[in-house]
Amino acid sequence: PSATGRPDPRGGAGGTTASSCPPHPGFLHDICVRCGLRREKPSSAGGGSRSSAGHPIPKSTSMRYIHEGLELSNDELEKAKREEKTRVLLSGKLLLVLDLDHTLLNSARFADLTQDDHDVLGRIVAARACADAGGSEEDIAKAAKEAVPHRPDRSMIGREEGREDADGKSTRIPKETERAEDDALPGDETKSFIDDELRELKQTKEPPSGMDSLTDSTVSMEDKDAHFPGCSPPLKHTYCLRHLALFTKLRPFAHKFLRAASELCQLYIYTMGDKRYAAEMACLLDPGGTLFGGRIISNQESTNARVKDLDIVLGADSAVLIVDDTDRVWPNNLRNLIKVDRYHFFKQSALGFRQPGASVAEKNWRDEGDNGTRAQLRDVLLVIASAHRLFFAGTDASGKADEALRSFKRDEDGEETASATRPETARTETSESVQGKDKDKDDSVLGNAKLPDSALETLRSRDVRELLLGGGDDDDESEANAPSKSSKSILPLSNVSVAFSRVTARGDLNPERHPLWLPPPRARAGGPP
């Protein structure tokens, strides 16, 4: 059927009539959300802008991340954005759009990792699980050691085909023994033939000729295994997602950052990854499902497969902050962007961006903030708090930023421990009670009181994009001195002398390849730099 202007005999959606459409405000699986009629096909005679009945067809935008199959007309979308902005601002919050990969976490496929990488990560995951369960240092070391089966060097024990001893007898180990050894799992009580023989050799003062190198090597290996990389103490928030064939590591302070940021902003996830990956990562970042509330936009929900845009984020651009490690994917919203350094936990990730040596794995498995680099999420929270403080200056929400920072600081030395195994979607009673107490504490400190409607007009005139560079006077937060678009900005680099160490042509498309930037040839290496 088509919308003809006559009453809908079915009563439409909620008893309405078809006379209220067109234009249709939106469709759910091609059914109008207002009148309940099916979407009309565009007429070729009208150039696709009118239906076969001659009605204009308004442009619409897919909002699949809110509900599968949902499309809103552009007019209805703008109305929804205005209403959502009003609701969020009166709650004393801004909107914050967060990237996933290299911003909040780093993932690597099983296939991209070496066997040594798998072993190290397996030990880290096992050691972290033991630590979270309250294990002692000895228990943690034992868990790390037993996480990976012992793999002796077969070339050192005569496993070559056809090798014979001095009496002409073959020393080759039967295939059944080899198979049993290869299939052995961590924690198996059965010891292999090799382990038994090595134990006997250690108990003798003078091992047989030709076995010195084997015992020496074994002892040194055990000494080496006393402290495994990343296990003392074990790195937090490292996950093995076998169903996705991925290892994922959360950036340091990710959970604390999200909790503090959620008191200042309504959170969104916006990633170029697919829908399933985005949902899995959101589960790691927000196990209780209380922070994002379904506001997860993947590549499949985006209106453009190559770039990101705020066109489907409910709320005006003037109240949105973006945190991402890549600026080129936000060509239309660069003024909203807070760019963060890329987080490389896996060396394969750093190599992919031509940053060898920048990964945690290449820094002796010491994480960000503990290896000479700054904890990026802590710095980002300071920027968000500054923008929030300036935006809500003169209102009852002006003190939220400082309270959120104090809350973050209180938890900094005692960051919550999370299971190193994949958290389930359904939370346990214990974790619910703990987080419930934390939430009650935060609510009592920050408060959830709604701002008066009188503050709305003032907030509507402000633009967070202007405030990212500062604005207003931090010492005077009265209504008269509240920042606005016309207020004078406080530039962060004012009174700072800047010296450039390199000079190149302005129009050079690849300045990093300019001769003045390249190191001197080896032939002139002895000359002045």
Side-chain angles (χ1 to χ4, degrees):
S2 62
T4 60
R6 296 190 298 272
D8 185 354
R10 297 172 299 171
T16 61
T17 64
S19 59
S20 56
C21 294
H24 301 281
F27 295 92
L28 186 62
H29 298 295
D30 290 335
I31 301 298
C32 177
V33 296
R34 177 189 291 159
C35 68
L37 298 180
R38 187 171 295 278
R39 185 204 300 262
E40 299 173 290
K41 295 182 179 180
S43 172
S44 57
S49 60
R50 289 184 173 273
S51 66
S52 56
H55 301 130
I57 299 179
K59 294 182 178 179
S60 62
T61 301
S62 175
M63 302 292 288
R64 290 190 296 270
Y65 78 93
I66 295 179
H67 197 291
E68 187 66 32
L70 177 63
E71 290 187 33
L72 295 179
S73 68
N74 287 358
D75 290 340
E76 196 68 21
L77 179 57
E78 289 302 318
K79 178 182 176 182
K81 284 187 172 185
R82 290 194 297 270
E83 292 176 352
E84 183 69 359
K85 178 186 178 182
T86 298
R87 185 190 68 80
V88 173
L89 291 183
L90 287 180
S91 69
K93 294 183 178 182
L94 298 170
L95 294 104
L96 179 61
V97 179
L98 297 161
D99 175 49
L100 287 179
D101 292 289
H102 303 106
T103 298
L104 293 177
L105 51 87
N106 190 207
S107 296
R109 298 182 182 91
F110 286 176
D112 295 335
L113 301 173
T114 65
Q115 185 59 57
D116 289 342
D117 294 333
H118 277 271
D119 291 349
V120 171
L121 293 169
R123 290 189 175 105
I124 291 175
V125 171
R128 186 70 253 170
C130 182
D132 292 342
S136 63
E137 292 185 5
E138 292 77 10
D139 294 334
I140 294 173
K142 182 179 179 181
K145 184 174 183 178
E146 294 181 349
V148 177
H150 177 58
R151 298 187 182 92
D153 188 350
R154 298 183 178 183
S155 63
M156 301 172 63
I157 57 177
R159 291 220 171 193
E160 301 88 340
E161 286 288 338
R163 178 171 176 177
E164 298 180 351
D165 60 14
D167 298 330
K169 297 180 181 181
S170 174
T171 58
R172 181 184 174 196
I173 296 174
K175 290 185 177 295
E176 292 76 6
T177 305
E178 293 183 9
R179 190 178 301 111
E181 180 187 342
D182 292 339
D183 294 341
L185 297 176
D188 282 354
E189 297 297 333
T190 302
K191 298 298 183 179
S192 66
F193 167 80
I194 305 301
D195 293 333
D196 292 337
E197 186 167 335
L198 292 178
R199 190 182 301 108
E200 293 176 2
L201 290 174
K202 291 179 190 177
Q203 294 174 355
T204 61
K205 295 182 179 180
E206 297 181 359
S209 177
M211 298 297 288
D212 294 333
S213 59
L214 176 58
T215 54
D216 291 344
S217 175
T218 305
V219 173
S220 62
M221 181 66 70
E222 292 186 351
D223 292 341
K224 178 181 178 181
D225 289 349
H227 297 287
F228 296 107
C231 295
S232 54
L235 295 172
K236 297 180 180 180
H237 310 309
T238 306
Y239 303 95
C240 178
L241 308 178
R242 297 187 182 280
H243 59 296
L244 295 180
L246 288 175
F247 277 105
T248 295
K249 173 66 171 67
L250 301 189
R251 197 166 201 158
F253 305 112
H255 286 148
K256 288 176 49 199
F257 166 80
L258 292 174
R259 286 203 306 270
S262 68
E263 297 297 337
L264 306 178
C265 306
Q266 180 167 282
L267 306 183
Y268 280 78
I269 285 177
Y270 202 143
T271 177
M272 301 299 283
D274 61 33
K275 186 174 183 178
R276 184 187 182 192
Y277 176 76
E280 292 285 348
M281 298 303 105
C283 181
L284 298 182
L285 293 166
D286 179 23
T290 60
L291 299 180
F292 299 107
R295 296 179 294 272
I296 304 172
I297 305 173
S298 68
N299 182 269
Q300 294 162 268
E301 286 87 28
S302 179
T303 54
N304 191 313
R306 297 182 179 274
V307 298
K308 302 178 184 180
D309 201 289
L310 296 179
D311 54 352
I312 58 176
V313 175
L314 296 182
D317 295 3
S318 60
V320 179
L321 296 170
I322 301 169
V323 178
D324 203 320
D325 64 282
T326 307
D327 51 5
R328 60 180 175 80
V329 299
W330 294 98
N332 301 322
N333 308 106
L334 288 175
R335 297 177 63 204
N336 301 81
L337 178 65
I338 303 172
K339 188 176 179 182
V340 63
D341 291 344
R342 288 191 178 97
Y343 178 57
H344 296 299
F345 182 78
F346 305 96
K347 60 184 178 183
Q348 291 80 3
S349 172
L351 291 174
F353 285 88
R354 298 181 181 180
Q355 294 180 299
S359 68
V360 173
E362 296 169 284
K363 295 181 178 179
N364 200 26
W365 297 93
R366 302 191 70 85
D367 217 340
E368 182 181 86
D370 191 34
N371 58 16
T373 59
R374 294 182 63 85
Q376 291 286 305
L377 293 183
R378 184 194 295 124
D379 293 342
V380 170
L381 183 61
L382 291 173
V383 177
I384 294 172
S386 176
H388 184 280
R389 185 185 302 110
L390 293 169
F391 191 95
F392 288 96
T395 70
D396 294 339
S398 60
K400 270 190 170 185
D402 293 330
E403 293 293 348
L405 291 177
R406 282 195 288 268
S407 177
F408 183 90
K409 181 63 177 176
R410 281 195 300 269
D411 292 339
E412 188 167 0
D413 296 330
E415 183 180 10
E416 82 287 357
T417 57
S419 174
T421 57
R422 178 177 178 268
E424 299 293 337
T425 303
R427 305 172 62 207
T428 62
E429 181 179 355
T430 302
S431 61
E432 285 179 352
S433 61
V434 171
Q435 184 153 337
K437 293 178 181 178
D438 291 341
K439 189 176 187 303
D440 293 340
K441 178 189 69 175
D442 292 341
D443 289 347
S444 64
V445 173
L446 300 177
N448 287 322
K450 182 180 177 181
L451 295 178
D453 293 340
S454 58
L456 188 59
E457 194 63 33
T458 301
L459 297 177
R460 281 176 175 170
S461 66
R462 296 179 181 173
D463 193 330
V464 73
R465 294 169 293 190
E466 299 290 335
L467 302 179
L468 282 178
L469 290 179
D473 189 346
D474 289 343
D475 297 329
D476 189 354
E477 294 186 351
S478 64
E479 187 68 30
N481 290 314
S484 64
K485 286 186 178 181
S486 59
S487 65
K488 184 178 179 180
S489 296
I490 300 175
L491 301 179
L493 294 182
S494 59
N495 301 323
V496 175
S497 299
V498 179
F500 295 95
S501 61
R502 292 176 175 177
V503 179
T504 187
R506 295 177 59 184
D508 196 337
L509 296 179
N510 299 296
E512 72 277 3
R513 303 303 303 168
H514 192 279
L516 292 178
W517 285 49
L518 297 176
R522 289 184 178 276
R524 293 179 291 168

